[in-house]
Amino acid sequence: MLFLQTSRVPQPPTFMQLSKSILNVSAFAALPMASTQEAAKELIDSRGRMNYTSPEHSSTTTFFYDEAFFFPAFTATQKRNTRPCDLNEARSHASNGEIPSQNTFIDSDVNTAYHMANQDLGQDQSLSLSNVRQCPTPSQYFTGRKEALSRLGKIFSAPVVTLFGPDQHMLASFVRHTFSTRAVFLLASSAEALAVGLAQTSLQDPQVLTATLLVLENTHPSLVLADHLPACCSSPVLITSTNHAVSHLASSPAYGFQLPDHPNQQIMNKLRGSVQKALEPKQHIVTLVASGGTGKTQTVLKFISDNSSRFSNIWFFDATSDTTLTADFKALGKVASVGEDVKDVRDFLARMDHNWLCIFDNADDKELYLKDYIPSCSHGNIIITSRLLEASQMDSPGCHLEFGDLNKDDAIELLLKYAHKESSETNKSLAAEIADTLGCNALALSTSGAYILTTRTCTLSNYLGHFNKKRKEILNYRLRSLDSYQRTIFSAFKMNFENLSLPTQYLMQICAYIHPTAIPMEMFIRAASFEGNDIGSADLHRPTQAISLTEKFLSLFGEADSWDDSVNELCQLSLASYDDLQNTLTFHSVIHKCVRETVPSEVDMAQAAMIGGHTCEPYAIRKSTHCPCTDLLARIFWDSGFWAQTEALEEQTVMISKEGLGQRHPDTLMAMIKLGATYRTRGKLEAAEYTDQEAVSLCKDVHGENHPDTVLSMANLAATYQARGKLEEAERLKEEVLSIRKVILGERHPATLTSMSNLAFTYKHRGNLEAAEKLEEQVLALRKDILGEHHPNTLTSIANLAFTYRQLGRLEAAERLAEEVLSLRKHLLGKHHPDTLSSMDHLALTYQARGKLEIAEKMEEEVLPLRKEFLGEHHPDTLRSMHNLAAIYHELNKLEEAEILAEQVLLLRKDALGEHHPDTLSSMAKLAAVYQARGKSEASDGT
């Protein structure tokens, strides 16, 4: 441990130089002389120190030598109020595993990487450089982001390296052999010892912190460095200890080293190189990648505000475009007098071997290549904020920073701050609803709070209603605060939207009228492959503009890979996220709302979304239902077999609609009607009945008894009655619905014909097959006349009548009709259309009833894999095919195949529908019959 006080540090003398200069050492002039070298060794041994006058320097220097090392130990940097440390004293302490309490500074003439900030710049130039491209201040309302700020703090902290060894003296010797950079040695055997050492140094001085390697010796594993070292400390830290548990203090597991017992020279050299490499300065490049308005820039500004003393210089560059970034570099180059070209400034930063920080903000331009601006060197720090996913490719190892929306609590706090509302439980609850609706997006919450503050009629409780009515106004509302960020919610989104290709823009606009969560890409692929025409000549009010939009949209994706190209483009600009396992696309709720502002005609685009998203359902029915855009995804989930997700989504839609629009709002009532239907298909019949009854009551009160939505709610309640076995109530209500539609819409309206078909279905279940047959024959004749023989609805009527014929035992007629409808659907809709597959399934059942089991088996085996491929394994039609095929296997005495399939379908139906759903009970009965046929009587009883 050594300290040297001198104006300039010369090279430490060799033994030969000491020998030649021995007569000049007046302190030892009277000592007997042997050979000059032996005399030097004797002098060093006896005193542990030697005054030496260098031939190149006029000053006299005191050096300390340790003959055990056979080379000069170390010299030290200039420092006041310290005393030289006697080497013999140091040896004595070291041999006892102790470190003297005095702080020791060591250095050499080697140019060290951890040096004084701006040591090669004049003070005036340093100040002027600091005034170029200064960081704006963070928002006074900044909230949260503790995890991101902590992560940034760790990334830009100097490395902490641990060195464990069984012998403290050996550790001390190794450290002194290894480092020739200036260092501070402190005893850290306890928190108290470290506190004393820190108090006796000037470590609070940032100039010292950037100039030294900090060595904590004999460190106790329980030490918490953050409790002792200043936050601004940028010095690398080397921790030594004889306790292996100290390894957990290292910056990373790779920075924990061990000095083994009795190492050979090769091991020592390898370890020395590894420790030195770990402590070497490294360039840190961090990227914050997320969509606009998430608070990337504000988080960086907050970090800089709290940690500016960590860095020698901080420059904030506008990386919006090549033009703005070049201008900022030019300004820096001019002040630094290094030239105004980008290369000049980049090379200047590479030469400026300091702990500087460059912030490249809003690097969102795909044509901007940041690598042209970032210096290639092993020092300095870079932060990049961007919406481009590809920007994360520039991250330094270990410098990846996850960044997204605010957490719920911070989102609530931010909203209340901007709204100037107290943090009461009531306000928090109201704010939580707004935060959920806005997806905890920082800009959207800030804007909402400011809007509430300045709009007297708008409160926390009615804000969502205001937003629905004045969406465009609020999305374009500009904050009037002192924040540097001045974009509106919409302008922040529009910047990236305009950079999208035309097909991707169309995809976003279509998706804007589907719920933003987990949109199945399969629906678009299926729509693009649909070759049929489900619009008949009798449709007098066809949405021609919406049809044109749909056709134009699908025409943009002629190549199979074009869908993937758009998904990748959206993700690269942080406009959407993609689940590659489910093949689904998800949009942030705020982005989803902004997209609608780019649509010229919302009505046409909403209808286009319905037409394109539901090619497997007849257009006439789609036209009459007019599903609200917010619950379109429920239909898509159902098509894909995601029944639980359908229910959860529609429950959320009802809740938000009730609270945001009110219970009596038409959109709320329609959401309730949809939810009741979903409960019914999920087998939750009590919940379905309660919801349907509530919807009917409210619709009658709000709309009147003859309103289309009221009639629709009555039709749904009738269907629920039928599912619950309340066939009389179902029949009565369906007859009432049919009567109203005949009066209001006329006997030939498509909705009236649908009601007739539904009533025929109830007649069949009540055993009134003749009445069902008569009604279905009426419907078929009318649809042929009104819609044409080839309209999908007409084909549905033929299929229904064939089903009735089969139940009546008129199998030959049933077979003839089923074959006719299958042939037409294959020709008009294509072999893989869901309606075509349904016809194949029904025909197979007819073949089965006629005893043509081999033909039925072959057809069902053809249908099942197609339904699995195009509808998914969990779709109700797929499960129906599995059930039917199991029944055919049973009749063919293929009992093992029947058992495997019956067990599969039972498990899937239990999971999707519940144990008490009629379809589940039917599967249980079928499996029990198979078990009994196989002689598994106990299994049959258990089923």
Side-chain angles (χ1 to χ4, degrees), residues 21 27 58 98 119 217 309 311 322 379 437 484 510 515 543 546 558 590 604 653 687 706 721 735 742 871 894:
S21 304
S58 59
E98 302 173 356
Q119 64 184 21
E217 300 194 282
S309 59
F311 307 101
D322 185 78
H379 60 271
T437 302
S484 59
I510 288 287
H515 193 278
V590 173
D604 291 336
T653 301
N706 295 334
Y721 282 154
E735 287 175 341
K742 280 183 177 181
L871 302 179
K894 295 183 177 182

Side-chain angles (χ1 to χ4, degrees), residues 327-343:
D328 286 354
F329 263 52
K330 181 178 181 180
L332 177 57
K334 184 175 182 180
V335 173
S337 300
V338 296
E340 299 181 12
D341 290 339
V342 169
K343 183 180 182 302

